[in-house]
Amino acid sequence: EALISDIQKATGNGSVAMTPCGPPSPRLNCSLTAVSNDEVILFGGEFYDGNPVNTFVYNELFRWHLGRHEWTQVATVNTPP
């Protein structure tokens, strides 16, 4: 068990970084899911202004706390194995 614990600490297994931020940039085709009465999760989306060169696809995860009107960006500390 000690070895597994050491490996998890070294690799950051299961660790996430929660960074307070402003609202995400404008986007469409994102996923917006209510996870509680006062919390919404936003994932992904894309930006398109009519010019195909300016198309951008997002791979970001945000949490919005409705009661406090606070955005938080959620990211893994390490990439998955």
Side-chain angles (χ1 to χ4, degrees):
E1 290 183 18
L3 177 61
I4 292 172
S5 177
D6 290 344
I7 292 171
Q8 288 177 335
K9 287 178 187 174
T11 61
N13 187 15
S15 297
V16 295
M18 308 268 296
T19 308
C21 63
S25 60
R27 59 190 71 200
L28 40 93
N29 298 325
C30 59
S31 174
L32 192 63
T33 305
V35 293
S36 70
N37 288 339
D38 60 355
E39 188 173 275
V40 176
I41 300 293
L42 179 139
F43 174 73
E46 65 180 305
F47 171 80
Y48 177 69
D49 68 355
N51 182 349
V53 175
N54 294 333
T55 300
F56 187 79
V57 178
Y58 297 101
N59 185 24
E60 300 171 315
L61 183 66
F62 292 93
R63 181 184 78 172
W64 181 32
H65 191 282
L66 301 168
R68 294 188 300 239
H69 300 286
E70 292 178 349
W71 284 98
T72 305
Q73 187 167 14
V74 182
T76 57
V77 174
N78 293 324
T79 57

